Amino acid sequence: MDVREWALIAFTILSQMAVGSFIILGIVYFFAARKWGEEEADRLSDRALLAIGPVLVLGTLASLFHLGNPLNAYRAIANVGSSWLSREILANVLFIGVGAVFAFMQWRKISTSATRNIVALVAAAIGVVLVFSMSQIYMLRTAPAWDTIATPITFFTTTFLLGALAVGAAYVANYAYVQRKEPGCADTQCEIMRSTLRWLALASVVLVGVHLVVLPLYVAYLASSDVAAANDAVNVLMDDYGVVFALRLVLVFVGAGILGAFLYRNASSPGREKILGNLAYAAFAVVLVAEVMGRFLFYAMQTRIGL
């Protein structure tokens, strides 16, 4: 696998994580503001929101290494009407732009909360279009291992799984900051953090369940296909990268399943904030490694029909 494909791994993983984090953050903020008030919800989410931008920009910069000449990148947007690649690029640019506008408005508390929410909803919708456009790029008849419903399902599962765990880790870091800088607010923030992490942990368990159902069905579908290229993709997965595939399944199950379950259990009991933080960081790190391995395997299984 050459540098260009590693650039695509970095771009797709980081961009999907940024979209998932933005959407999950918005959902959590919605419920937190109604239960604890906007001020406490802001204190919980504003710092985490600002971390999304650098992740998305880093992913976009990584994508430039996929191009033969990065200076010609602007030309790739010219065929929006007919090219999913152009739509992906346009959606990425718009998500960065609208997301940055919302982050600035939210950080500086510009305009009303309702107006900021509208901007956030627009950014979230663009993010969904971005991930969908990514998946459609690989729906090629000449690449049977990619041209299945598993591609958009796994892309969106990765989006929300990494998003949920990244937000959980960000909330733990934010609580540590609040505890140090604003001790008078720490008790309320601790309650919000524990409540939020319970739901994020539950979501991660459900999402890893989707992964562990879809992947075996996907491999079985390719193995039973009468298309030689599909069978070749399974051979690449099982023979050349069987150890990587098995390790990827183990890591995603441990990170989102087992650690997610422990995270849910510990978040239900006050006084375990240190353990809770370690679990949140570990779950995110393990699943991130697993998803990078999964995306590596996705590109490694590129077997084509014809030339």
Side-chain angles (χ1 to χ4, degrees):
M1 185 173 290
D2 61 25
V3 173
R4 293 185 182 185
E5 288 174 322
W6 280 109
L8 286 177
I9 291 172
F11 168 63
T12 56
I13 289 290
L14 292 175
S15 297
Q16 288 167 20
M17 181 169 67
V19 170
S21 298
F22 188 89
I23 294 173
I24 295 293
L25 203 63
I27 293 171
V28 171
Y29 182 90
F30 176 84
F31 289 103
R34 274 145 188 78
K35 185 171 183 178
W36 289 283
E38 287 188 5
E39 184 177 350
E40 291 294 343
D42 289 343
R43 189 173 284 111
L44 172 74
S45 299
D46 281 359
R47 296 181 188 89
L49 174 65
L50 294 181
I52 295 174
V55 172
L56 186 59
V57 171
L58 183 61
T60 302
L61 292 176
S63 71
L64 297 179
F65 288 96
H66 179 65
L67 301 175
N69 183 358
L71 295 178
N72 292 328
Y74 68 93
R75 295 181 179 177
I77 205 170
N79 300 311
V80 173
S82 59
S83 168
W84 282 109
L85 177 61
S86 295
R87 294 166 190 160
E88 175 201 61
I89 295 170
L90 177 61
N92 188 66
V93 172
L94 289 175
F95 183 63
I96 291 175
V98 179
V101 169
F102 169 70
F104 182 74
M105 292 176 68
Q106 177 65 19
W107 187 256
R108 303 297 298 177
K109 300 298 180 285
I110 296 173
S111 191
T112 63
S113 176
T115 300
R116 296 198 299 271
N117 288 340
I118 292 173
V119 177
L121 286 172
V122 172
I126 295 171
V128 171
V129 172
L130 170 58
V131 177
F132 182 74
S133 298
M134 281 183 191
S135 70
Q136 294 306 297
I137 289 172
Y138 300 101
M139 302 290 281
L140 304 171
R141 291 184 179 179
T142 55
W146 290 350
D147 191 25
T148 74
I149 190 64
T151 295
I153 290 175
T154 54
F155 272 34
F156 274 103
T157 303
T158 294
T159 295
F160 292 110
L161 180 57
L162 283 178
L165 293 175
V167 168
Y171 283 158
V172 168
N174 181 73
Y175 171 68
Y177 177 87
V178 171
Q179 193 176 36
R180 185 173 65 255
K181 297 291 185 178
E182 305 174 67
C185 305
D187 289 345
T188 302
Q189 285 295 303
C190 182
E191 181 185 356
I192 301 174
M193 180 192 69
R194 287 192 295 102
S195 177
T196 300
L197 286 179
R198 283 200 300 272
W199 287 105
L200 294 178
L202 184 61
S204 73
V205 172
V206 172
L207 289 166
V208 78
V210 174
H211 257 325
L212 296 178
V213 169
V214 170
L215 287 176
L217 292 175
Y218 166 66
V219 174
Y221 168 78
L222 294 179
S224 63
S225 173
D226 56 3
V227 178
N231 303 148
D232 291 341
V234 176
N235 292 333
V236 169
L237 181 65
M238 295 302 184
D239 296 339
D240 297 344
Y241 298 107
V243 174
V244 178
F245 179 59
L247 183 58
R248 179 259 198 278
L249 291 178
V250 169
L251 288 178
V252 76
F253 176 71
V254 170
I258 296 177
L259 291 180
F262 278 112
L263 188 62
Y264 181 88
R265 182 176 179 179
N266 281 275
S268 303
S269 304
R272 297 184 178 180
E273 286 73 31
K274 186 174 181 179
I275 296 175
L276 196 60
N278 292 335
L279 286 171
Y281 292 139
F284 170 64
V286 171
V287 171
L288 179 59
V289 172
E291 291 302 313
V292 170
M293 294 172 70
R295 198 55 49 85
F296 168 86
L297 293 171
F298 176 80
Y299 287 109
M301 292 173 67
Q302 180 185 10
T303 53
R304 291 183 176 273
I305 299 173
L307 297 178

